Amino acid sequence: MSTPSLASGPEGPDALRPLLDTVLDALTEGAGARGGPLPAGGPDEVAARVRDVVGDVLPEEGDPDALRHLVAMLAEGSADPAHTLCAAHLHCPPLAVATAADLAASALNPSMDSWDQAPAASELESLVTRSLAREVYGIPPRGAGLYRYAAPPRGATSHEAPAPANAPDALVTTGGTESNQLALLLAREALGPDVQLVCGANAHHSLPRAAWLLGLPAPVIVPTPTGTLDPAALDDVLPAGPHLVAATAGTTDAGLIDPLPEIAAVCERQHARLHVDAAYGGTLLFSARHRPKLTGLSAAATVTLDLHKLGWQPVAAGLLAVRDPADLAALRYRADYLNADDDTEAGLPDLLGRSLRTTRRPDILKIAVTLKTLGRTGLAALVDQVCDRAREFADLVQNHPGFELHDRPVISTVLFRPARVGDDAVAAVRRRLLVDGRAVLGRATLGGRLWLKATLLNPHTRLDDLAALMKLVEGNTPR
Ligand SMILES: *Cc1c(COP(=O)(O)O)cnc(C)c1O
């Protein structure tokens, strides 16, 4: 075998072109062989097929057809979030344009730990993260120390005014989990090692896990019988601080948004720091119609966003917006080979303090391409579309005598169950559809009962598809 071709360099594109044809053909072939949202047969059958295709993982002599075979195998054995009956999780179908940009990121392979590995990518990251942080915190009033929520004026662009040094910023992360960890770390560095996490029982599990990881005191978990964090209950449990209150804008189970302005008021009165986990709901910011649901967000010291959920990015595309960039000083670190003092003084940007990772992919490229290709209007249309579809689906469920609706959707999650059956039947129908590869629905226990969860993230899903989903559930529920 001759020396394999490289993806970058003058010959990179020509080496990639035929391989991309192979990949695209294999994707088509695999999806065709699957024929539905999920491979049929369940874990044993999928595992047997993978073992069969892979064979010897590291053969003595290489196989030039490995790309085609493995890609086709993976496509056949994938849950396809672009299939209209694949709606279990916050697992979005990525936009083609974002995925194409991610290919360029792989080919160029910039590494975001020093300027000399990522000259343009580092500037792009700085531009885009500041701009997204402004979406979260609004345009700062001149000279004000604290940012208040305000919609940016129409047509305002980030190049009109250079960001002031105290402007909000955002870090790029691998997703909501890393963003929440960083939020707790920044709180610990700002308030000391005794800072205690206070969050609702509706909060994402990565928050208490981050408290454990960072060696913080055991968190206070406030019960959330109504599904959202009750500000009065929060007010009652906040003992002597220091505290980090974590509210959620878009719960994973039900897509509910905690009452942010009231929670922010409690935090202000009790001198607690506020973090908002908006991994799901954060991109409602792009929609004029849905943005008011996030009122109060700008009171948070830190905000988790996750564009690989309601942002149609391939994994990974997380962000942590930080209101006061001085908080980021806690992450400063010197490693002579990456950010020597004399290099930094000579003007080479210091990237090491923007993550706890060292080598990092330029995930900002696909995000930047998406924002600019779709614009605010295009993104808002996607957000509005999936939220509308969820509302219409909830109507369909509510008006069907064979189903129960848990509640009206706030974002794009609909919880429902077949009527007049027990939890066992609800669990069984979900598994039956999964194993048969016919539909992918999630599950959530709320109010002591098990619900089927449809998380609608596919802007191409029509109401007909969802009516077909109901028929499938109806026809497969054990009675
Ligand atoms: C998905 C989710 C997370 C975790 O995000 P990952 O990208 O999976 O790490 C955190 N919080 C909420 C509310 C989520 O829905």
Side-chain angles (χ1 to χ4, degrees):
M1 204 179 182
S2 56
T3 310
S5 306
L6 303 177
S8 62
E11 273 119 51
D14 284 337
L16 272 174
R17 215 177 299 276
L19 295 173
L20 290 183
D21 279 340
T22 301
V23 166
L24 299 177
D25 289 346
L27 289 175
T28 306
E29 181 191 324
R34 175 179 6 95
L38 199 74
D44 290 345
E45 243 177 76
V46 173
R49 172 98 186 109
V50 171
R51 285 158 191 270
D52 185 42
V53 171
V54 173
D56 188 354
V57 170
L58 182 60
E60 206 47 49
E61 299 299 329
D63 170 8
D65 291 329
L67 179 65
R68 182 163 63 85
H69 290 148
L70 294 198
V71 172
M73 175 274 287
L74 202 72
E76 180 179 352
S78 282
D80 182 3
H83 194 289
T84 54
L85 299 184
C86 185
H89 299 281
L90 286 160
H91 174 207
C92 72
L95 295 172
V97 74
T99 305
D102 219 18
L103 170 71
S106 285
L108 294 166
N109 210 24
S111 180
M112 307 297 289
D113 47 333
S114 64
W115 184 84
D116 55 0
Q117 300 177 82
S122 55
E123 178 60 18
L124 184 67
E125 182 176 281
S126 147
L127 267 178
V128 175
T129 50
R130 291 218 171 214
S131 183
L132 287 170
R134 283 208 319 182
E135 287 296 315
V136 171
Y137 289 111
I139 302 266
R142 274 172 82 85
L146 201 68
Y147 297 96
R148 294 283 174 207
Y149 177 84
R154 281 198 88 74
T157 53
S158 56
H159 65 259
E160 278 165 11
N166 66 341
D169 202 349
L171 302 178
V172 176
T173 69
T174 52
T177 302
E178 188 189 346
S179 296
N180 286 341
Q181 282 169 4
L182 282 169
L184 262 69
L185 175 66
L186 295 183
R188 187 189 75 184
E189 295 305 293
L191 303 178
D194 296 332
V195 65
Q196 192 173 23
L197 171 68
V198 180
C199 63
N202 63 350
H204 192 261
H205 64 83
S206 57
L207 284 158
R209 275 188 122 185
W212 164 77
L213 174 72
L214 293 166
L216 301 182
V220 176
I221 310 287
V222 184
T224 49
T226 62
T228 54
L229 183 57
D230 174 13
L234 177 66
D235 209 2
D236 289 344
V237 300
L238 274 182
H243 283 120
L244 175 69
V245 171
T248 307
T251 59
T252 314
D253 274 351
L256 302 178
I257 300 175
D258 287 339
L260 302 178
E262 292 78 9
I263 290 171
V266 170
C267 289
E268 189 167 346
R269 196 168 60 249
Q270 300 243 29
H271 308 291
R273 182 179 165 109
L274 177 62
H275 168 66
V276 176
D277 180 356
Y280 180 9
T283 44
L284 297 180
L285 281 172
F286 296 127
S287 156
R289 248 170 63 204
H290 295 285
R291 192 177 170 117
K293 293 177 182 166
L294 297 179
T295 300
L297 191 64
S298 59
T302 47
V303 175
T304 288
L305 303 172
D306 212 345
L307 297 181
H308 61 231
K309 289 182 171 172
L310 198 61
W312 300 282
Q313 299 300 297
V315 175
L319 292 152
L320 179 73
V322 179
R323 187 177 58 198
D324 181 355
D327 280 357
L328 298 178
L331 298 179
R332 267 194 212 132
Y333 203 84
R334 199 58 63 204
D336 208 50
Y337 76 109
L338 294 172
N339 60 351
D341 285 335
D342 55 311
D343 272 351
T344 306
E345 276 155 28
L348 294 190
D350 172 0
L351 308 186
L352 207 51
R354 297 191 59 82
S355 181
L356 289 181
R357 289 179 282 157
T358 307
T359 300
R360 297 197 276 119
R361 278 172 63 81
D363 288 319
I364 206 66
L365 176 63
K366 62 198 170 195
I367 296 173
V369 166
T370 301
L371 297 178
K372 210 156 163 56
T373 303
L374 274 70
R376 192 183 295 281
T377 308
L379 282 162
L382 291 179
V383 169
D384 292 353
Q385 176 81 8
V386 296
C387 293
D388 283 352
R389 202 56 79 238
R391 239 189 30 238
E392 294 159 10
F393 180 45
D395 291 339
L396 217 55
V397 170
Q398 203 161 21
N399 295 326
H400 192 304
F403 285 93
E404 268 184 79
L405 177 69
H406 178 260
D407 210 344
R408 304 297 308 170
V410 175
I411 307 179
S412 66
T413 300
V414 179
L415 298 175
F416 66 107
R417 51 182 280 161
R420 297 175 295 280
V421 295
D423 284 358
D424 287 355
V426 175
V429 65
R430 172 179 165 273
R431 266 193 305 272
R432 185 180 290 177
L433 294 174
L434 280 184
V435 170
D436 292 350
R438 284 191 287 170
V440 193
L441 286 168
R443 53 182 283 164
T445 301
L446 281 161
R449 298 171 78 207
L450 186 64
W451 299 87
L452 296 173
K453 175 170 83 162
T455 311
L456 304 180
L457 297 178
N458 183 346
H460 293 277
T461 299
R462 295 163 310 152
L463 204 53
D464 288 355
D465 301 316
L466 297 168
L469 177 66
M470 287 169 70
K471 278 220 156 55
L472 267 178
V473 171
E474 209 178 10
N476 286 280
T477 302
R479 301 275 166 183

